[in-house]
Amino acid sequence: MSSLRKFYSRCLRRAAPTRFVLLSIVVAIALFISTTQVFNAKNTLSAQDASPDIVLAKKIGKEIIAACPVVSDAKNLAAFNSCADKLAKLKILRETMNVPFLWGTQNKVGNYNLQDHQKTEFDPLVWRRIYLSTFMFKGEPKVEKINNLIVIHLPTQFRNQLDIGDFPYPFWHSSKKWDSYQQTTELLFFLEQKKLIGSLRSAVIDPKRPKIDHAWDGKWVWNDATGNKQPYVTLYTHLFSPSNPHVAKVDAAYRALEVKLRENACVVCHSPDNAAKQNPILILNYPNHALTLRHETVRQIKEKRMPPPTGIANEQERQQLIELAQTFAQAGDLALAYEGEKITSGKN
């Protein structure tokens, strides 16, 4: 029996080196697989970060932040005007923004499908000069790819202490909308095939942010104490550069068109309160906003789709409105072209 124990003892001693070798091989293979996975993951992230679309998205985000940094005084008019001027001239936005550009509020955190949200259509210059400029930015852009869409997250703070005439229209006509401007923590930009197709105020909000309350008096436009038209930011003198020779012509063309549009109840549907429940909303009751629809208005009147359901019954009246709309569209093209903007005759 003692001899048998000695035999097994010798066998175990002889097997020990073999077990050690096998264990070493297993550990080495595991380390190799783990290292390979980490290496591949890093390579995948590096490749994604280096892709032209991601590089472009980060560049867009950084240039917006640089143009409109956060300042301590949210009612600093000089900073606001500087931001608006820089955004209007920002080459990367001019070259990448789609025509028309979509703007709205994200209805649910994590939902990045633009079709699911309430939006308004804009001419790119109008949006970035009079809407985007009401925000200040800080930090670094966060970029993520979701299927074929690239989402740019920009941490933001809203300039809610500006004078009411500095805003594109009285956002406070809807308390929900006004709160979304004041409490959103970031703007989301959507890049698809190297084109910025739209932006949303994020549904990620900070309810502790200071809020300014304004009473809605039912007026979309008004005159201030000195008799100046408000909101002044909707006027062509604010949108276009002082040297633009087409400002007076486009303004006169819009005023003439707007009178006839109002007579035919077109402005009822095309106002910010969106009585017609459009999505996207198409605004005509402000000069700047109407540029977005300058060609679409001509088409819809010609096709007897505006005003719905069958257009203008009086043929003479309809032809007159078509001529006014065409004059406005042509003047708008000239004014925007002078600023270096892309000109299109319809939707992309």
Side-chain angles (χ1 to χ4, degrees):
M1 193 70 176
S2 175
S3 298
L4 188 61
R5 282 199 296 271
K6 290 179 179 178
F7 172 76
Y8 279 120
S9 178
R10 285 197 301 271
C11 289
L12 289 172
R13 284 198 300 272
R14 288 173 181 172
T18 302
R19 290 201 308 273
F20 177 75
V21 170
L22 289 173
L23 179 61
S24 298
I25 291 173
V26 170
V27 170
I29 292 172
L31 287 172
F32 175 77
I33 293 172
S34 176
T35 303
T36 302
Q37 288 175 337
V38 171
F39 179 77
N40 288 339
K42 286 183 177 179
N43 273 356
T44 301
L45 288 173
S46 298
Q48 180 174 307
D49 288 345
S51 74
D53 288 346
I54 296 294
V55 170
L56 175 60
K58 288 183 177 179
K59 183 174 175 60
I60 290 170
K62 288 180 178 180
E63 291 201 22
I64 292 174
I65 293 170
C68 304
V70 170
V71 295
S72 57
D73 183 5
K75 59 183 177 182
N76 186 319
L77 193 58
F80 170 56
N81 288 332
S82 173
C83 168
D85 289 341
K86 289 177 181 177
L87 291 174
K89 299 171 184 174
L90 200 57
K91 183 179 179 182
I92 197 167
L93 289 182
R94 178 177 287 155
E95 292 179 348
T96 57
M97 287 180 73
N98 191 58
V99 183
F101 187 78
L102 298 172
W103 167 241
T105 310
Q106 186 185 33
N107 60 18
K108 183 180 179 182
V109 176
N111 185 348
Y112 299 125
N113 185 354
L114 267 176
Q115 300 304 314
D116 294 343
H117 311 285
Q118 180 65 54
K119 306 167 293 297
T120 305
E121 282 189 6
F122 285 97
D123 171 86
L125 175 61
V126 173
W127 183 78
R128 66 181 187 266
R129 182 165 178 79
I130 71 170
Y131 279 80
L132 186 56
S133 62
T134 61
F135 292 90
M136 301 178 285
F137 302 92
K138 60 184 178 181
E140 290 289 323
K142 173 190 169 186
V143 176
E144 60 178 327
K145 188 169 185 180
I146 302 169
N147 299 322
N148 294 323
L149 190 69
I150 293 175
V151 182
I152 309 168
H153 301 251
L154 296 189
T156 192
Q157 182 178 329
F158 184 59
R159 304 178 199 265
N160 61 347
Q161 295 181 43
L162 294 171
D163 184 82
I164 59 174
D166 295 323
F167 298 111
Y169 67 84
F171 296 143
W172 45 93
H173 77 92
S174 161
S175 59
K176 182 179 179 181
K177 176 175 288 188
W178 183 229
D179 285 349
S180 82
Y181 272 91
Q182 297 190 88
Q183 296 181 334
T184 189
T185 60
E186 61 180 7
L187 294 193
L188 308 172
F189 290 79
F190 300 89
L191 188 70
E192 187 175 53
Q193 298 180 351
K194 297 183 173 60
K195 299 291 289 185
L196 277 175
I197 58 175
S199 177
L200 296 174
R201 300 182 296 281
S202 172
V204 179
I205 64 169
D206 179 3
K208 295 182 180 179
R209 289 195 173 186
K211 290 171 59 176
I212 299 295
D213 292 324
H214 291 303
W216 167 236
D217 61 4
K219 296 179 181 178
W220 295 117
V221 295
W222 65 94
N223 290 334
D224 63 17
T226 60
N228 294 318
K229 292 183 182 298
Q230 299 291 342
Y232 75 92
V233 295
T234 66
L235 304 177
Y236 297 124
T237 49
H238 177 77
L239 177 67
F240 297 121
S241 58
S243 61
N244 194 318
H246 307 290
V247 172
K249 183 176 181 180
V250 71
D251 185 70
Y254 170 74
R255 301 297 172 187
L257 174 63
E258 195 266 347
V259 169
K260 286 298 180 182
L261 289 175
R262 196 171 294 278
E263 288 178 0
N264 287 280
C266 298
V267 177
V268 172
C269 293
H270 296 283
S271 293
D273 56 350
N274 196 21
K277 306 300 179 186
Q278 305 172 76
N279 192 13
I281 307 170
L282 307 169
I283 297 175
L284 283 172
N285 69 323
Y286 292 112
N288 278 359
H289 295 71
L291 284 171
T292 308
L293 290 173
R294 64 189 186 279
H295 294 289
E296 185 67 9
T297 300
V298 175
R299 185 180 71 82
Q300 292 210 14
I301 296 172
K302 281 185 174 180
E303 296 177 1
K304 298 184 177 182
R305 298 175 59 189
M306 182 178 175
T310 58
I312 299 171
N314 185 304
E315 185 59 23
Q316 184 177 355
E317 180 80 5
R318 191 172 73 89
Q319 288 301 323
Q320 183 183 10
L321 197 51
I322 289 172
E323 290 176 9
L324 290 171
Q326 288 174 330
T327 299
F328 173 60
Q330 292 163 2
D333 285 352
L334 291 172
L336 287 165
Y338 181 87
E339 303 293 334
E341 297 297 304
K342 297 188 294 287
I343 305 302
T344 65
S345 58
K347 296 182 181 179
N348 285 352

